[in-house]
């Protein structure tokens, strides 16, 4: 009787039991026999949950043209210590500022840099109405559509294998009625309608890379985005993940609002990415500002009180998001204050690169409370140990150096076997 | 390349040329010969444009059970002097307060009363989440859906021929997330989604009465309603008219906002009805009120300054709406202050039934500036007269009583013939 009923009821669980397994692991010696009564060191090596962040600031570093190597080195280390998904900038206007000369090579280098460090990469975004190339202005809608389609095929194809997740389209809700900035996409969206713009993005991307994971991404948490999601589903367009932005420049949403939004958007049965999260460690932007871009200030400092508040809010926000089973990824929108959007103190590091309390707080969750640090366990006479931990990748190591790896993939009581080697 | 591009560009025209014809009328005598060099009286008898109003207050009067006959008689005369479309209340909760005992007979009497006076009738609404029957609460969603479908078939069928225009569904944007009032429709809408609720309403109504004219109707003028319209079009659901509410309890929108809204919603190529217009002749509700129902005041008087302002705003609003070629109907939401929603002074008559300036102003447009009063014209030697006037029905009359009727159906220079009889 319904198109939208979620297959399961999503009841938020602050204990995060839905993200943990209690795994009975049978450790086998290289010869395949159970390794009974032996001390083994079990350690988590990766999170299944996506702790993401934009990697914009590391593009230069990855291309060996850092303008501040010390800052960038520390920044990179702190980035890699917490995050496992990078969002890279594919804004058409900055990616291809001159027609026919896309910055493919440097972005490939950046994507490889992350991939080499075990970080998966998302491209952001394939279609949007701002940060547009100047050279696109004044072209006829038919040509804009053709060029937009070609650009999707070129970039989704050119980065396949390195970037297989894309924000297919950004802020489609406002796209046809956007007036703040002259651009060539809004007139096209007005002609085609939102749904056909989404179809365009999705069909070109999938035709180029059938294994691609595609997101709708929007800041509009109102019923408008719900209606658009319904429109997309009714149109038979498959969206893999639903992206919800949460730039909280006007103050932390709080648990209640966040869960209400999750409850509304989770009912479409599409896993949710919190794609763009910002929490400030300084003054909050006044509530009367509608387009955040309108808030232009001379200086927007990070303050001691603000940093304490931010740390608490980061912890509360991540705990709330992880408590909801529909959430798969949380992307923080900028590790450092340096160069941040609107000059806002939304980073987890100060402009000098030093960690704010929020950085330590988030790290203490991701690599502390939610992380299985190397722990010595003793196998029983059947070679079994119980490993309780967050879903993700694990390794078992013997003092002699023999190792094996396994993964916790399903929550609750599970069983697996791992055969050591080396 | 597009689903939504309107077939014509809708350029608002304050001269209303798109609503007027300059008609060359050939008047024929009963024997079919041109009536040359003769004085004829040409008079408009009806507007093609829909000047509507709710007819809720006249249901008792039409059923001969008026509690204040003098007031109701005057009210009825004033109503009929300006309006040609009545919206009648089919709120499920008041129409069928006791299960199985719908107030069909009295609503049929009311619809007939209007029809007998040349007024067409719209039913409001077939599906909505408020003013719901108490007896529906607690039923399982499957049963609510079955009962909702049955109620649509029963009422669309029972009133066919008298009521062939319906607000198929009211306020679908908010329907699945509405929380102000416990009801059985919101849970169903949450399960099915908005589009499937709309499909339900439309398919049952059309299956029962293939000639029905169906509206989507909403107060939400944001991008949410645009997205929902796109969803409906993508889903292949035919909507005949797009209903936009305009309860301006928080102040007159002004020409710019009104035209911007019309521009946004006209691009779907669906004729627009301004279904629910209110303008106050008293204090304006504060802007911070989100749900107008939350504004409960002891007394909300009509004031002399307010009445002057209201008259100006009514004139500006109607001129603006008629200037846009996509608008087909404007419904005022309540002729009199007596019994008005929220106790607001939104009527064109005061609570004692006397006309406010806004009533006279609107009448001076509908039956003055935009009306062809009986005028003596002399036919030329070919029996022709030029009739310039608003689209609508006209009659030609001779002093001896012979009459004929014709209609101005297309704007601009046209020609027609009318043969007198009697």
């Amino acid at each position: 009787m319904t198109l939208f009923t979620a297959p399961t009821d999503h009841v938020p669980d602050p204990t995060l039991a839905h993200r943990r397994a209690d795994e009975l692991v049978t450790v086998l010696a290289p010869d395949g026999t159970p390794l009974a009564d032996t001390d083994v060191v079990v350690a988590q090596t990766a999170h299944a949950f996506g702790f993401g962040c934009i990697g914009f600031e590391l593009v230069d570093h990855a291309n060996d043209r850092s303008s501040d190597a010390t800052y960038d080195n520390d920044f990179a280390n702190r980035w890699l210590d917490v995050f496992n998904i990078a969002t890279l900038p594919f804004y058409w206007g900055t990616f291809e500022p001159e027609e026919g000369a896309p910055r493919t090579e440097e972005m490939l280098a950046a994507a490889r840099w992350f991939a080499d460090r075990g970080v998966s990469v998302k491209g952001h975004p394939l279609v949007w109405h701002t940060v547009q190339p100047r050279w696109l202005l004044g072209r006829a809608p038919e040509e804009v559509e053709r060029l937009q389609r070609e650009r999707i095929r070129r970039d989704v194809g050119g980065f396949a294998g390195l970037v297989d997740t894309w924000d297919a389209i950004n802020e489609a809700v406002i796209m046809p009625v956007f007036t703040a900035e002259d651009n060539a996409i809004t007139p096209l969206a007005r002609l085609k309608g939102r749904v056909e713009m989404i179809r365009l993005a999705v069909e070109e991307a999938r035709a180029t890379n059938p294994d691609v994971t595609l997101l709708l991404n929007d800041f509009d948490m109102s019923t408008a985005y719900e209606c658009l999601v319904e429109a997309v589903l009714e149109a038979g367009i498959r969206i893999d993940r639903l992206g919800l932005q949460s730039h909280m420049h006007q103050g932390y949403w709080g648990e209640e609002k966040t869960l209400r939004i999750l409850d509304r958007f989770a009912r479409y049965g599409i896993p949710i990415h919190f794609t763009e999260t910002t929490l400030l460690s300084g003054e909050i932007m006044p509530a009367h500002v509608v387009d955040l871009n309108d808030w232009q200030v001379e200086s927007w400092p990070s303050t001691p009180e603000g940093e304490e508040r931010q740390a608490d809010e980061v912890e509360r926000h991540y705990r709330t998001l992880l408590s909801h089973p529909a959430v798969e990824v949380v992307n923080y929108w900028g590790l450092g204050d340096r160069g941040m959007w609107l000059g806002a103190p939304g980073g987890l590091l100060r402009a000098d690169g030093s960690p704010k309390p929020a950085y330590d707080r988030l790290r203490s969750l991701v690599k502390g409370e939610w992380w299985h640090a190397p722990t010595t366990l003793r196998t029983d006479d059947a070679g079994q140990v119980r490993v309780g931990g967050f879903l993700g990748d694990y390794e078992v190591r013997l003092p002699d150096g023999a190792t094996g790896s396994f993964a916790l993939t399903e929550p609750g009581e599970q069983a697996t076997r791992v055969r050591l080697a080396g």
Side-chain angles (χ1 to χ4, degrees), chain A residues 308-351:
Chain A
E308 287 308 319
R309 188 195 63 224
Q310 183 197 35
D312 289 342
E313 291 171 351
V314 162
E315 174 172 352
R316 288 169 61 192
H317 194 52
Y318 276 77
R319 283 194 189 279
T320 306
L321 295 180
L322 270 78
S323 80
H324 199 291
V327 179
E328 214 178 63
V329 169
V330 182
N331 286 314
Y332 201 79
W333 200 255
L335 176 58
D337 280 357
R338 195 182 283 191
M340 175 156 283
W341 179 45
L342 306 171
L348 307 177
L349 307 179
R350 302 187 188 95

Side-chain angles (χ1 to χ4, degrees), chain A residues 12-18 319 323:
Chain A
D13 177 1
T15 74
L16 311 189
H18 51 288
R319 283 194 189 279
S323 80

